[in-house]
Amino acid sequence: MRSYQVDMCNGPILKKLIVFALPLILSGCLQLLFNAADIIVVGRFTGNQALAAVGSTSALINLLVNMFIGISVGANVVLGKSIGARDEENTSKAVHTAIFIAVFGGFLMVFVGFFFAKPLLE
């Protein structure tokens, strides 16, 4: 059976770093393709105002997505340090804190989106 774990603490780092970074790169490309598809569909079937609305919201969406990517990278740094030190207690705390921040951030974005979407977009 094949193991999907990557030991970043031992051995050469370049191949492991590429394997680690590839999903981040691909998710960024998918985000750009999704935005491009939005612009193509809206530009083809609606007017100029709708196309301008889609184009103007992409910066706001990218800001929010990149903020959470940055938070997850920070959590990975803390987890990597704890795992490298073989500190199970701090690893457990870091995992639970990261999960809490992710869930809390999701609820916060629902609240912000519901109550502040119109002012942010205007």
Side-chain angles (χ1 to χ4, degrees):
M1 178 177 256
R2 182 177 171 162
S3 173
Y4 291 101
Q5 293 182 345
V6 177
D7 183 11
M8 298 285 269
C9 297
N10 301 312
I13 192 73
L14 183 62
K15 181 181 175 190
K16 296 171 186 174
L17 190 62
I18 291 171
V19 168
F20 179 75
L22 220 63
L24 292 174
I25 294 168
L26 291 175
S27 68
C29 290
L30 285 174
Q31 183 72 28
L32 290 171
L33 287 172
F34 181 78
N35 190 19
D38 276 348
I39 290 172
I40 291 168
V41 169
V42 169
R44 186 159 174 93
F45 297 110
T46 62
N48 291 337
Q49 285 183 327
L51 183 58
V54 169
S56 67
T57 59
S58 64
L60 181 62
I61 297 300
N62 286 333
L63 175 73
L64 295 173
V65 168
N66 288 329
M67 180 182 71
F68 281 105
I69 288 174
I71 291 170
S72 68
V73 168
N76 281 331
V77 170
V78 173
L79 278 167
K81 184 178 177 184
S82 298
I83 291 170
R86 302 194 193 296
D87 185 358
E88 291 183 19
E89 182 180 343
N90 281 337
T91 301
S92 177
K93 287 180 182 178
V95 167
H96 290 98
T97 302
I99 290 171
F100 174 78
I101 289 173
V103 170
F104 180 75
F107 283 123
L108 182 65
M109 285 298 103
V110 167
F111 177 78
V112 168
F114 186 78
F115 290 107
F116 297 107
K118 188 172 182 177
L120 284 172
L121 295 174
E122 286 180 342

